[in-house]
Amino acid sequence: GKPDSAMLVGRPGGPMFRAAEVARLAQLAGIVAVVLDS
């Protein structure tokens, strides 16, 4: 939502994220943005 906000996600030593995982993280980020905005 806001240009000064970021969500950092990592997987130390693991494989790269799959497309389905990235989609779920995007949904999670959207939920967090709504909760933090209220």
Coordinates of all heavy atoms in Angstrom, one line a residue:
G1 N 0.8 -1.2 0.0 CA 0.0 0.0 0.0 C 0.8 1.3 0.0 O 0.7 2.1 -0.9
K2 N 1.7 1.4 1.0 CA 2.4 2.7 1.1 C 3.8 2.5 0.6 O 4.4 1.5 0.7 CB 2.5 3.1 2.6 CG 1.1 3.4 3.2 CD 1.3 3.7 4.7 CE -0.1 3.9 5.3 NZ -0.1 4.1 6.7
P3 N 4.3 3.6 -0.1 CA 5.7 3.4 -0.7 C 6.8 3.3 0.3 O 7.9 2.8 0.0 CB 5.8 4.7 -1.5 CG 4.9 5.7 -0.9 CD 3.7 4.9 -0.3
D4 N 6.6 3.6 1.6 CA 7.6 3.5 2.6 C 7.5 2.2 3.4 O 8.1 2.0 4.5 CB 7.6 4.7 3.5 CG 6.3 4.9 4.3 OD1 5.3 4.3 3.8 OD2 6.3 5.6 5.2
S5 N 6.7 1.2 3.0 CA 6.5 0.0 3.7 C 7.1 -1.2 2.8 O 7.1 -1.1 1.6 CB 5.0 -0.3 3.9 OG 4.5 0.7 4.7
A6 N 7.6 -2.2 3.5 CA 8.1 -3.4 2.8 C 7.9 -4.6 3.6 O 7.8 -4.6 4.8 CB 9.6 -3.2 2.5
M7 N 7.8 -5.7 2.9 CA 7.7 -7.0 3.6 C 8.9 -7.8 3.1 O 9.0 -8.0 1.8 CB 6.4 -7.7 3.3 CG 6.2 -9.0 3.9 SD 4.6 -9.6 3.6 CE 4.9 -11.4 3.5
L8 N 9.7 -8.3 4.0 CA 10.9 -9.1 3.6 C 10.7 -10.5 3.9 O 10.4 -10.8 5.1 CB 12.2 -8.5 4.3 CG 13.5 -9.2 4.0 CD1 13.8 -9.0 2.5 CD2 14.6 -8.6 4.9
V9 N 10.9 -11.4 3.0 CA 10.7 -12.9 3.2 C 11.9 -13.6 2.6 O 12.4 -13.2 1.6 CB 9.4 -13.4 2.5 CG1 9.3 -14.8 2.7 CG2 8.2 -12.6 3.0
G10 N 12.4 -14.5 3.4 CA 13.6 -15.2 2.9 C 13.5 -16.7 3.3 O 12.7 -17.1 4.2
R11 N 14.3 -17.5 2.6 CA 14.4 -18.9 2.9 C 15.9 -19.2 2.9 O 16.5 -19.5 1.9 CB 13.7 -19.7 1.8 CG 13.8 -21.2 2.0 CD 13.1 -21.9 0.9 NE 11.6 -21.8 1.1 CZ 10.7 -22.1 0.2 NH1 11.1 -22.5 -1.0 NH2 9.5 -22.0 0.4
P12 N 16.5 -19.2 4.1 CA 18.0 -19.4 4.2 C 18.4 -20.7 3.8 O 17.9 -21.7 4.3 CB 18.3 -19.1 5.7 CG 17.0 -19.3 6.4 CD 15.9 -19.0 5.4
G13 N 19.2 -20.8 2.8 CA 19.8 -22.1 2.3 C 18.8 -23.0 1.6 O 19.2 -24.0 1.2
G14 N 17.6 -22.5 1.4 CA 16.6 -23.4 0.7 C 16.5 -23.1 -0.7 O 17.2 -22.2 -1.3
P15 N 15.5 -23.8 -1.4 CA 15.3 -23.5 -2.8 C 14.6 -22.2 -3.0 O 14.1 -21.6 -2.1 CB 14.4 -24.7 -3.2 CG 13.7 -25.1 -2.0 CD 14.7 -24.8 -0.8
M16 N 14.6 -21.7 -4.3 CA 13.9 -20.5 -4.6 C 12.4 -20.7 -4.4 O 11.9 -21.9 -4.4 CB 14.2 -20.1 -6.1 CG 15.6 -19.7 -6.3 SD 15.9 -19.2 -8.0 CE 14.9 -17.8 -8.1
F17 N 11.7 -19.6 -4.2 CA 10.2 -19.7 -4.0 C 9.6 -20.1 -5.3 O 9.9 -19.7 -6.4 CB 9.7 -18.4 -3.6 CG 10.0 -18.0 -2.2 CD1 11.0 -17.1 -1.9 CD2 9.4 -18.7 -1.1 CE1 11.3 -16.8 -0.6 CE2 9.7 -18.4 0.2 CZ 10.7 -17.4 0.5
R18 N 8.6 -20.9 -5.2 CA 7.7 -21.3 -6.4 C 6.7 -20.3 -6.6 O 6.4 -19.5 -5.7 CB 7.1 -22.7 -6.1 CG 8.1 -23.8 -6.1 CD 7.4 -25.1 -6.0 NE 7.6 -25.5 -4.6 CZ 7.0 -26.5 -4.0 NH1 6.1 -27.3 -4.7 NH2 7.2 -26.8 -2.8
A19 N 6.1 -20.3 -7.8 CA 5.1 -19.3 -8.2 C 3.9 -19.3 -7.2 O 3.4 -18.2 -6.8 CB 4.6 -19.5 -9.6
A20 N 3.5 -20.5 -6.8 CA 2.3 -20.6 -5.9 C 2.7 -20.0 -4.5 O 1.8 -19.3 -3.9 CB 1.9 -22.0 -5.7
E21 N 3.9 -20.1 -4.1 CA 4.3 -19.5 -2.8 C 4.4 -18.0 -2.9 O 3.9 -17.3 -2.0 CB 5.7 -20.1 -2.4 CG 5.7 -21.5 -2.1 CD 7.1 -22.1 -1.8 OE1 8.0 -21.9 -2.7 OE2 7.2 -22.8 -0.8
V22 N 4.8 -17.5 -4.0 CA 4.9 -16.1 -4.2 C 3.5 -15.5 -4.2 O 3.2 -14.4 -3.6 CB 5.6 -15.7 -5.5 CG1 5.6 -14.2 -5.8 CG2 7.1 -16.1 -5.4
A23 N 2.5 -16.2 -4.9 CA 1.1 -15.7 -4.9 C 0.6 -15.7 -3.5 O -0.1 -14.8 -3.1 CB 0.3 -16.6 -5.8
R24 N 0.9 -16.7 -2.7 CA 0.3 -16.7 -1.3 C 1.0 -15.6 -0.5 O 0.3 -15.0 0.3 CB 0.6 -18.1 -0.7 CG -0.3 -19.1 -1.2 CD -0.1 -20.4 -0.4 NE -0.9 -21.5 -1.1 CZ -0.4 -22.6 -1.5 NH1 0.8 -22.9 -1.4 NH2 -1.2 -23.5 -2.1
L25 N 2.2 -15.3 -0.7 CA 2.9 -14.2 0.0 C 2.3 -12.9 -0.4 O 2.1 -12.0 0.5 CB 4.4 -14.3 -0.3 CG 5.2 -15.4 0.4 CD1 6.6 -15.5 -0.1 CD2 5.2 -15.2 1.9
A26 N 1.9 -12.7 -1.6 CA 1.3 -11.5 -2.1 C -0.1 -11.3 -1.4 O -0.4 -10.2 -1.0 CB 1.1 -11.5 -3.6
Q27 N -0.8 -12.4 -1.3 CA -2.1 -12.4 -0.6 C -1.9 -12.0 0.9 O -2.6 -11.2 1.5 CB -2.8 -13.7 -0.7 CG -3.3 -14.0 -2.1 CD -3.9 -15.4 -2.2 OE1 -3.7 -16.3 -1.4 NE2 -4.7 -15.6 -3.3
L28 N -0.9 -12.6 1.5 CA -0.6 -12.3 2.9 C -0.2 -10.9 3.1 O -0.7 -10.2 4.0 CB 0.5 -13.2 3.4 CG 1.0 -13.0 4.8 CD1 -0.1 -13.2 5.9 CD2 2.2 -13.9 5.2
A29 N 0.6 -10.3 2.2 CA 1.0 -8.9 2.3 C -0.2 -8.0 2.1 O -0.3 -7.0 2.8 CB 2.0 -8.6 1.2
G30 N -1.2 -8.4 1.3 CA -2.4 -7.6 1.1 C -3.2 -7.6 2.4 O -3.7 -6.5 2.8
I31 N -3.3 -8.7 3.1 CA -4.0 -8.8 4.3 C -3.3 -7.9 5.4 O -4.0 -7.2 6.1 CB -4.1 -10.3 4.8 CG1 -5.1 -11.0 3.9 CG2 -4.6 -10.3 6.3 CD1 -5.0 -12.5 4.1
V32 N -2.0 -8.1 5.5 CA -1.3 -7.3 6.5 C -1.4 -5.8 6.2 O -1.6 -5.0 7.2 CB 0.2 -7.7 6.5 CG1 1.1 -6.7 7.3 CG2 0.4 -9.1 7.0
A33 N -1.4 -5.4 5.0 CA -1.6 -4.0 4.6 C -2.9 -3.4 5.1 O -3.0 -2.3 5.6 CB -1.4 -3.8 3.1
V34 N -4.0 -4.3 4.9 CA -5.3 -3.9 5.4 C -5.4 -3.7 6.9 O -5.9 -2.8 7.4 CB -6.4 -4.8 4.9 CG1 -7.7 -4.6 5.5 CG2 -6.5 -4.7 3.3
V35 N -4.8 -4.7 7.6 CA -4.9 -4.7 9.0 C -4.1 -3.5 9.6 O -4.5 -2.9 10.5 CB -4.3 -6.1 9.6 CG1 -4.1 -6.0 11.1 CG2 -5.2 -7.2 9.2
L36 N -2.9 -3.3 9.1 CA -2.1 -2.2 9.6 C -2.7 -0.8 9.2 O -2.4 0.2 9.9 CB -0.7 -2.3 9.0 CG 0.2 -3.5 9.6 CD1 1.5 -3.5 8.9 CD2 0.2 -3.5 11.1
D37 N -3.5 -0.7 8.2 CA -4.1 0.5 7.8 C -5.2 0.9 8.7 O -5.5 2.1 8.8 CB -4.6 0.4 6.3 CG -4.0 1.5 5.4 OD1 -3.0 2.1 5.8 OD2 -4.5 1.6 4.3
S38 N -5.8 0.0 9.3 CA -7.0 0.3 10.2 C -6.7 0.7 11.6 O -5.6 0.8 12.0 CB -8.0 -0.9 10.2 OG -7.3 -2.1 10.6

